[in-house]
Amino acid sequence: MPITMRQVGPCFAAEVEGLDLRKPLTSEEVAAVHDGMDRHAVLVFHDQRITDEEQLAFTRSLGDIEHSIGTSLRPLTDARLPTTFADVSNLDKDHKVFARDDRPRLFGLGNRLWHSDSSFKVVPAKYSLLSARSIPSKGGNTEYADMRAGYDALDDETKAEVEGLVCEHSQIFSRSILGFTDFSDEERERFKPVRQCLVRTHPVTKRRSLYLSSHAGGIVGWPVPEARSFLRDLVEHATQRQFVYAHKWSVGDLVMWDNRQTMHRARPFPANEPRDMRRTTLMGDGPTAEQAAA
Ligand SMILES: [Fe+2]
């Protein structure tokens, strides 16, 4: 069966048909998926009732996996899933919904702000693949913003201003927006800021995009309030409705997005209902900017 991709978003996302993610991909299928990602930046696969092993095999066929180690507040001993997954569910290792005041849960609510996965790492993520195993009765959409369209729509003066700027990203910045500021010394050290270019160029299509994220809390060489108000305006610009695709989940959906070309955010849902979403992540090719001297 040939692979088809049909655009569903206002300007980018596409639904893919003709692939069974339970089976190994041929090299032609791998190339078609990468080509679709280069073009659409968000691909939606429906009716994929995959196991963890099948999700890992599909992810590995596209590149190297990024492990989730030290990026959340939940100790590895309490993890429900191995480090090859980012567990973005609301479930503990006994598959029970987290208490409302659970500290790692509150930290994880940062996912409801616009962000790009792992922009707080020196080598940030390339693709994320999110598989819906169980979903709440309402809410819980994931929204995606096309950062290429956001860049293209900037006026010339702003395009000149963002050129060459380097931002500082940390989970401490994104969590502090929500009033989560109570970090230990060890956590502050672990989450210390990394540098990322504000404008990225896609290695294949050469399209430029704004590399924004709620983790960005400063611009190198700028006073903090000026940097944050500038970044806030850019996020507001880049997340206008005409640049956004909202995905309403069904069980069995797998959505894959390119973190280099998009931002995303999770939308609220009833806190007492299980939402089992499992993410695998592909590593990026390298740093986007030179890091500060240690
Ligand atoms: Fe995310």
mmCIF file with all atom_site columns, all heavy atoms in Angstrom, residues 111 115 117 257 264 279, ligand 1:
data_model
loop_
_atom_site.group_PDB
_atom_site.id
_atom_site.type_symbol
_atom_site.label_atom_id
_atom_site.label_alt_id
_atom_site.label_comp_id
_atom_site.label_asym_id
_atom_site.label_entity_id
_atom_site.label_seq_id
_atom_site.pdbx_PDB_ins_code
_atom_site.Cartn_x
_atom_site.Cartn_y
_atom_site.Cartn_z
_atom_site.occupancy
_atom_site.B_iso_or_equiv
_atom_site.pdbx_formal_charge
_atom_site.auth_seq_id
_atom_site.auth_comp_id
_atom_site.auth_asym_id
_atom_site.auth_atom_id
_atom_site.pdbx_PDB_model_num
ATOM   1  N  N   . ASN A 1 111 ? 4.519  21.619 30.738 1.00 0.00 ? 111 ASN A N   1
ATOM   2  C  CA  . ASN A 1 111 ? 4.211  21.169 29.370 1.00 0.00 ? 111 ASN A CA  1
ATOM   3  C  C   . ASN A 1 111 ? 2.996  21.880 28.788 1.00 0.00 ? 111 ASN A C   1
ATOM   4  O  O   . ASN A 1 111 ? 2.698  21.727 27.612 1.00 0.00 ? 111 ASN A O   1
ATOM   5  C  CB  . ASN A 1 111 ? 3.942  19.660 29.357 1.00 0.00 ? 111 ASN A CB  1
ATOM   6  C  CG  . ASN A 1 111 ? 5.231  18.881 29.521 1.00 0.00 ? 111 ASN A CG  1
ATOM   7  O  OD1 . ASN A 1 111 ? 6.280  19.347 29.097 1.00 0.00 ? 111 ASN A OD1 1
ATOM   8  N  ND2 . ASN A 1 111 ? 5.149  17.723 30.150 1.00 0.00 ? 111 ASN A ND2 1
ATOM   9  N  N   . HIS A 1 115 ? 6.352  25.186 24.072 1.00 0.00 ? 115 HIS A N   1
ATOM   10 C  CA  . HIS A 1 115 ? 7.766  24.829 24.207 1.00 0.00 ? 115 HIS A CA  1
ATOM   11 C  C   . HIS A 1 115 ? 8.210  23.926 23.060 1.00 0.00 ? 115 HIS A C   1
ATOM   12 O  O   . HIS A 1 115 ? 7.390  23.423 22.282 1.00 0.00 ? 115 HIS A O   1
ATOM   13 C  CB  . HIS A 1 115 ? 8.024  24.126 25.547 1.00 0.00 ? 115 HIS A CB  1
ATOM   14 C  CG  . HIS A 1 115 ? 7.361  22.778 25.648 1.00 0.00 ? 115 HIS A CG  1
ATOM   15 N  ND1 . HIS A 1 115 ? 6.019  22.621 25.915 1.00 0.00 ? 115 HIS A ND1 1
ATOM   16 C  CD2 . HIS A 1 115 ? 7.846  21.521 25.503 1.00 0.00 ? 115 HIS A CD2 1
ATOM   17 C  CE1 . HIS A 1 115 ? 5.710  21.344 25.929 1.00 0.00 ? 115 HIS A CE1 1
ATOM   18 N  NE2 . HIS A 1 115 ? 6.806  20.640 25.676 1.00 0.00 ? 115 HIS A NE2 1
ATOM   19 N  N   . ASP A 1 117 ? 10.602 20.461 22.763 1.00 0.00 ? 117 ASP A N   1
ATOM   20 C  CA  . ASP A 1 117 ? 11.132 19.459 23.691 1.00 0.00 ? 117 ASP A CA  1
ATOM   21 C  C   . ASP A 1 117 ? 12.654 19.532 23.798 1.00 0.00 ? 117 ASP A C   1
ATOM   22 O  O   . ASP A 1 117 ? 13.361 19.617 22.779 1.00 0.00 ? 117 ASP A O   1
ATOM   23 C  CB  . ASP A 1 117 ? 10.715 18.046 23.250 1.00 0.00 ? 117 ASP A CB  1
ATOM   24 C  CG  . ASP A 1 117 ? 9.242  17.783 23.519 1.00 0.00 ? 117 ASP A CG  1
ATOM   25 O  OD1 . ASP A 1 117 ? 8.667  18.430 24.422 1.00 0.00 ? 117 ASP A OD1 1
ATOM   26 O  OD2 . ASP A 1 117 ? 8.661  16.919 22.822 1.00 0.00 ? 117 ASP A OD2 1
ATOM   27 N  N   . TRP A 1 257 ? 6.453  15.051 15.765 1.00 0.00 ? 257 TRP A N   1
ATOM   28 C  CA  . TRP A 1 257 ? 6.708  16.439 15.371 1.00 0.00 ? 257 TRP A CA  1
ATOM   29 C  C   . TRP A 1 257 ? 8.196  16.736 15.396 1.00 0.00 ? 257 TRP A C   1
ATOM   30 O  O   . TRP A 1 257 ? 8.968  16.080 16.087 1.00 0.00 ? 257 TRP A O   1
ATOM   31 C  CB  . TRP A 1 257 ? 5.938  17.416 16.264 1.00 0.00 ? 257 TRP A CB  1
ATOM   32 C  CG  . TRP A 1 257 ? 6.292  17.398 17.718 1.00 0.00 ? 257 TRP A CG  1
ATOM   33 C  CD1 . TRP A 1 257 ? 7.247  18.155 18.337 1.00 0.00 ? 257 TRP A CD1 1
ATOM   34 C  CD2 . TRP A 1 257 ? 5.677  16.613 18.750 1.00 0.00 ? 257 TRP A CD2 1
ATOM   35 N  NE1 . TRP A 1 257 ? 7.261  17.876 19.682 1.00 0.00 ? 257 TRP A NE1 1
ATOM   36 C  CE2 . TRP A 1 257 ? 6.311  16.934 19.966 1.00 0.00 ? 257 TRP A CE2 1
ATOM   37 C  CE3 . TRP A 1 257 ? 4.641  15.656 18.766 1.00 0.00 ? 257 TRP A CE3 1
ATOM   38 C  CZ2 . TRP A 1 257 ? 5.952  16.346 21.185 1.00 0.00 ? 257 TRP A CZ2 1
ATOM   39 C  CZ3 . TRP A 1 257 ? 4.294  15.066 19.971 1.00 0.00 ? 257 TRP A CZ3 1
ATOM   40 C  CH2 . TRP A 1 257 ? 4.943  15.413 21.163 1.00 0.00 ? 257 TRP A CH2 1
ATOM   41 N  N   . HIS A 1 264 ? 4.966  23.300 20.765 1.00 0.00 ? 264 HIS A N   1
ATOM   42 C  CA  . HIS A 1 264 ? 3.699  22.644 21.094 1.00 0.00 ? 264 HIS A CA  1
ATOM   43 C  C   . HIS A 1 264 ? 3.362  22.901 22.554 1.00 0.00 ? 264 HIS A C   1
ATOM   44 O  O   . HIS A 1 264 ? 4.213  23.363 23.333 1.00 0.00 ? 264 HIS A O   1
ATOM   45 C  CB  . HIS A 1 264 ? 3.782  21.134 20.825 1.00 0.00 ? 264 HIS A CB  1
ATOM   46 C  CG  . HIS A 1 264 ? 4.834  20.441 21.632 1.00 0.00 ? 264 HIS A CG  1
ATOM   47 N  ND1 . HIS A 1 264 ? 6.182  20.506 21.318 1.00 0.00 ? 264 HIS A ND1 1
ATOM   48 C  CD2 . HIS A 1 264 ? 4.764  19.699 22.762 1.00 0.00 ? 264 HIS A CD2 1
ATOM   49 C  CE1 . HIS A 1 264 ? 6.873  19.830 22.203 1.00 0.00 ? 264 HIS A CE1 1
ATOM   50 N  NE2 . HIS A 1 264 ? 6.050  19.336 23.096 1.00 0.00 ? 264 HIS A NE2 1
ATOM   51 N  N   . ARG A 1 279 ? 6.041  9.047  25.210 1.00 0.00 ? 279 ARG A N   1
ATOM   52 C  CA  . ARG A 1 279 ? 6.829  9.763  24.195 1.00 0.00 ? 279 ARG A CA  1
ATOM   53 C  C   . ARG A 1 279 ? 8.193  9.128  24.027 1.00 0.00 ? 279 ARG A C   1
ATOM   54 O  O   . ARG A 1 279 ? 8.878  8.842  25.016 1.00 0.00 ? 279 ARG A O   1
ATOM   55 C  CB  . ARG A 1 279 ? 6.999  11.230 24.619 1.00 0.00 ? 279 ARG A CB  1
ATOM   56 C  CG  . ARG A 1 279 ? 7.541  12.117 23.503 1.00 0.00 ? 279 ARG A CG  1
ATOM   57 C  CD  . ARG A 1 279 ? 7.847  13.508 24.013 1.00 0.00 ? 279 ARG A CD  1
ATOM   58 N  NE  . ARG A 1 279 ? 9.242  13.619 24.415 1.00 0.00 ? 279 ARG A NE  1
ATOM   59 C  CZ  . ARG A 1 279 ? 9.709  14.503 25.291 1.00 0.00 ? 279 ARG A CZ  1
ATOM   60 N  NH1 . ARG A 1 279 ? 8.894  15.362 25.869 1.00 0.00 ? 279 ARG A NH1 1
ATOM   61 N  NH2 . ARG A 1 279 ? 10.982 14.537 25.583 1.00 0.00 ? 279 ARG A NH2 1
HETATM 62 FE FE  . FE  B 2 .   ? 6.634  18.586 25.075 1.00 0.00 ? 1   FE  B FE  1
#
